[in-house]
Amino acid sequence: MIPSYPEIRLIAVDLDGTLLDDNHRITPANRQAIEAAQQAGIVFAICTGRFFEDACLHALDYGLDCPVISLNGGKVALAPFGQVLSDHRMDDTVAMTCFECLEELDAAYFVFGERRVGIRKTGDKHLSQINFGESRMLEETGTTYHYGKEACLETIQGGIYKFYVHARNDLQQLRRIIGTLEKIPGISLAQSSTDNVEIMPPHVNKGRGMSDLAEHLGLRSRAELLGW
């Protein structure tokens, strides 16, 4: 006999362009909708490409007690700064190959390690620096920011989750970068807009993060219950 479940058991929502408004805030209406879902017994989760500490601060600022799927599924936790369910990092050798490729192409990029962000180009700022400020990120999450080629290399050598490459003023260069990266084995590529590309471990994506969370929570789809 198939158990009876609510029609919706898990809602996972992106931050940028979805849950957050143009000012990078969660509106009162969205906050009320989240509360209503949670009160109905539905698991609400943040599911974002942003790095873990960044996503967690957004949740805490709005009083959200919910799972966090960050880094496009690279790191999943049951709550902001809570128990980590899965942690998928890039292979060190593959990450170095990507680094050398990006350096040859003079790419602008961010690289994300454990509580450390490497920023290749002087003048670039990550959204977390803009939204929260470096001092708050350091004091509340231990996250530090480091600029330049050597800083990015040191970040990579410490173990990383992903690269975020952007080419806001030269989309032809971005196409060249993507064409070169596609030849590197052991990575997966994703684009959240036309002017960027993200480099991650193979098979890591938001769907993988949702699957990791759903498996832990014992949530199975209707298709799985029916044996499809």
Side-chain angles (χ1 to χ4, degrees):
M1 180 177 178
I2 298 174
S4 176
Y5 290 102
E7 190 69 22
I8 298 173
R9 287 167 277 155
L10 169 63
I11 298 174
V13 179
D14 192 10
L15 285 179
D16 296 294
T18 307
L19 185 59
L20 301 180
D21 63 15
D22 292 340
N23 295 313
H24 303 287
R25 297 172 180 171
I26 300 176
T27 65
N30 281 341
R31 184 68 185 89
Q32 291 171 5
I34 293 168
E35 288 179 355
Q38 291 176 321
Q39 290 171 3
I42 298 169
V43 177
F44 171 83
I46 288 173
C47 185
T48 180
R50 293 208 191 197
F51 66 92
F52 182 66
E53 292 75 22
D54 181 6
C56 287
L57 274 193
H58 275 291
L60 291 178
D61 276 0
Y62 290 91
L64 296 179
D65 182 11
C66 65
V68 176
I69 301 168
S70 62
L71 294 154
N72 291 327
K75 188 170 185 176
V76 181
L78 282 178
F81 300 109
Q83 177 188 345
V84 175
L85 299 181
S86 59
D87 188 289
H88 306 290
R89 306 192 193 196
M90 293 187 70
D91 175 84
D92 292 343
T93 301
V94 173
M96 280 300 302
T97 299
C98 293
F99 168 75
E100 292 166 358
C101 166
L102 294 174
E103 286 300 315
E104 288 179 4
L105 293 168
D106 192 29
Y109 62 89
F110 301 87
V111 59
F112 301 93
E114 186 70 34
R115 300 180 187 272
R116 179 183 170 109
V117 180
I119 306 170
R120 181 60 182 91
K121 299 296 185 181
T122 301
D124 267 356
K125 279 196 173 185
H126 187 260
L127 279 175
S128 59
Q129 294 170 283
I130 298 169
N131 294 159
F132 303 115
E134 290 188 25
S135 60
R136 184 181 177 199
M137 289 298 298
L138 176 62
E139 292 168 6
E140 298 187 26
T141 76
T143 300
T144 56
Y145 300 84
H146 306 269
Y147 282 88
K149 177 180 178 180
E150 292 304 315
C152 289
L153 178 58
E154 289 177 11
T155 303
I156 292 165
Q157 291 171 337
I160 63 167
Y161 294 95
K162 73 170 189 176
F163 292 83
Y164 177 97
V165 185
H166 68 84
R168 299 183 182 94
N169 300 317
D170 192 344
L171 296 186
Q172 287 187 343
Q173 185 198 28
L174 183 63
R175 286 193 287 270
R176 289 192 295 271
I177 291 170
I178 293 173
T180 303
L181 292 173
E182 287 175 335
K183 300 173 185 177
I184 299 175
I187 62 172
S188 62
L189 303 177
Q191 286 188 271
S192 57
S193 71
T194 58
D195 64 359
N196 69 56
V197 64
E198 298 174 86
I199 312 168
M200 296 164 297
H203 313 302
V204 169
N205 52 55
K206 292 177 180 178
R208 168 71 179 273
M210 288 182 62
S211 178
D212 288 345
L213 175 61
E215 180 179 356
H216 176 83
L217 297 174
L219 301 179
R220 294 180 295 164
S221 69
R222 184 182 298 275
E224 289 174 317
L225 290 170
L226 294 172
W228 296 350

